[in-house]
Amino acid sequence: MSNLNSGRDIKNLPDLKLALVQTTLVWHDPAANFAHFEALLEQARGAHLIVLPEMFTTGFSMDAEALAEPEEGASYAWLRAQAKRLDAVITGSVIIQAADGSHRNRLLWARPDGEMLHYDKRHLFRMAGEHKHYSPGERQVQMELHGWRIRPLICYDLRFPVWSRDPHDTDLLLYTANWPAARRLHWNRLLPARAIENLCFVAAVNRVGNDGKGHPYSGDSQVLDFQGEPLLEAQAGDGVLHVTLKATDLAAYRERFPAHLDADSFRID
């Protein structure tokens, strides 16, 4: 299927305020991470969408059997409470044992009205053995916030342009990650490519600090426009970063440079 052919008028959408939380994570200690993020989230007030890193309660761990929460567990409750408290959507991924018994690297999308949506990571990082401990997601998911169409993805998904390719008239691609410093060059080159090829904004949140295996993370959280130009670059800092996206800019660019009209049709099996 080709993308951006819905005829939807996006120029009248309100501005979208994002808050990206780039920080260290306490290894295998959800309670400590909840407390740490609660303090940081005070700096995110006023945002419509607050984005946390991948596996924000534990760090990127393969100890799924010991760390997995049930559906509707502690992270569900905590995210719901924070979303209500801050009147914003809050999202990030955690280790979940699904109803079918499988373990999932699951992005939770907590709305302030209490509704919880999710996306399960499709591409599992085999170089760390993630595919041996988790089951992959089967479908792309699109969220809507104030009329904006947002598609969440997780870390290693970034390397796969077919899965990242937009058949859904997406306005914002959202990546949450634990992307190691050793491959920061790839992170910083692939993110602009995803923005350019999909003619949409891209926001990406990564962690900083070292994990329990000693792997360092360089951060580099960023927000890019539809031409791959940076609107926000975090580098290695620790804290909450704010940016506002303007749908009028996106609509004007798509009208001026309608490459989507020549997009190839495709199907994902």
Side-chain angles (χ1 to χ4, degrees), residues 138-157:
E138 293 86 23
R139 61 190 181 94
Q140 295 176 329
V141 176
Q142 186 180 79
M143 314 301 188
E144 186 165 315
L145 178 58
H146 300 314
W148 287 72
R149 294 181 178 179
I150 303 168
R151 189 150 59 86
L153 297 155
I154 302 176
C155 204
Y156 193 43
D157 285 333

Side-chain angles (χ1 to χ4, degrees), residues 123-193:
H123 297 93
L124 304 177
F125 190 56
R126 71 173 54 247
M127 281 66 80
E130 189 178 12
H131 64 301
K132 297 179 180 178
H133 301 280
Y134 297 88
S135 297
E138 293 86 23
R139 61 190 181 94
Q140 295 176 329
V141 176
Q142 186 180 79
M143 314 301 188
E144 186 165 315
L145 178 58
H146 300 314
W148 287 72
R149 294 181 178 179
I150 303 168
R151 189 150 59 86
L153 297 155
I154 302 176
C155 204
Y156 193 43
D157 285 333
L158 175 62
R159 290 185 176 271
F160 299 91
V162 173
W163 191 249
S164 292
R165 186 67 174 165
D166 174 33
H168 304 299
D169 199 10
T170 296
D171 306 313
L172 170 64
L173 282 176
L174 184 67
Y175 293 91
T176 180
N178 272 211
W179 194 284
R183 288 177 290 280
R184 68 187 296 256
L185 175 67
H186 302 177
W187 171 261
N188 287 319
R189 290 188 174 175
L190 289 169
L191 286 167

Side-chain angles (χ1 to χ4, degrees), residues 9-247:
D9 185 2
I10 63 172
K11 63 179 178 293
N12 294 320
L13 294 180
D15 293 348
L16 188 68
K17 297 178 181 180
L18 306 183
L20 279 57
V21 184
Q22 175 175 288
T23 188
T24 57
L25 301 175
V26 183
W27 188 246
H28 288 194
D29 193 339
N33 285 307
F34 288 150
H36 176 62
F37 278 105
E38 278 188 35
L40 281 174
L41 287 176
E42 287 300 319
Q43 303 173 40
R45 285 190 179 275
H48 300 125
L49 174 60
I50 302 168
V51 191
L52 310 181
E54 177 186 20
M55 291 194 185
F56 72 90
T57 65
T58 59
F60 185 63
S61 176
M62 298 304 103
D63 199 1
E65 292 77 9
L67 295 171
E69 301 177 23
E71 294 181 354
E72 301 292 331
S75 291
Y76 278 66
W78 184 83
L79 283 166
R80 281 196 178 101
Q82 302 310 311
K84 181 178 181 180
R85 179 171 71 92
L86 298 168
D87 192 26
V89 169
I90 304 181
T91 189
S93 90
V94 297
I95 302 171
I96 294 292
Q97 183 170 336
D100 63 3
S102 65
H103 295 105
R104 305 285 178 146
N105 184 345
R106 176 166 291 179
L107 178 140
L108 301 177
W109 179 275
R111 292 165 44 101
D113 63 5
E115 183 179 8
M116 183 75 74
L117 305 174
H118 74 266
Y119 162 74
D120 289 337
K121 186 178 183 180
R122 168 74 167 187
H123 297 93
L124 304 177
F125 190 56
R126 71 173 54 247
M127 281 66 80
E130 189 178 12
H131 64 301
K132 297 179 180 178
H133 301 280
Y134 297 88
S135 297
E138 293 86 23
R139 61 190 181 94
Q140 295 176 329
V141 176
Q142 186 180 79
M143 314 301 188
E144 186 165 315
L145 178 58
H146 300 314
W148 287 72
R149 294 181 178 179
I150 303 168
R151 189 150 59 86
L153 297 155
I154 302 176
C155 204
Y156 193 43
D157 285 333
L158 175 62
R159 290 185 176 271
F160 299 91
V162 173
W163 191 249
S164 292
R165 186 67 174 165
D166 174 33
H168 304 299
D169 199 10
T170 296
D171 306 313
L172 170 64
L173 282 176
L174 184 67
Y175 293 91
T176 180
N178 272 211
W179 194 284
R183 288 177 290 280
R184 68 187 296 256
L185 175 67
H186 302 177
W187 171 261
N188 287 319
R189 290 188 174 175
L190 289 169
L191 286 167
R194 299 292 89 88
I196 293 166
E197 69 196 9
N198 288 296
L199 279 78
C200 69
F201 291 105
V202 167
V205 177
N206 192 26
R207 64 161 295 178
V208 292
N210 294 339
D211 67 16
K213 299 288 187 180
H215 301 302
Y217 296 83
S218 58
D220 295 310
S221 299
Q222 55 197 272
V223 179
L224 305 163
D225 74 6
F226 30 81
Q227 297 196 73
E229 293 289 344
L231 301 176
L232 179 154
E233 293 179 290
Q235 299 181 340
D238 189 311
V240 179
L241 305 124
H242 292 262
V243 67
T244 299
L245 306 184
K246 295 183 176 297

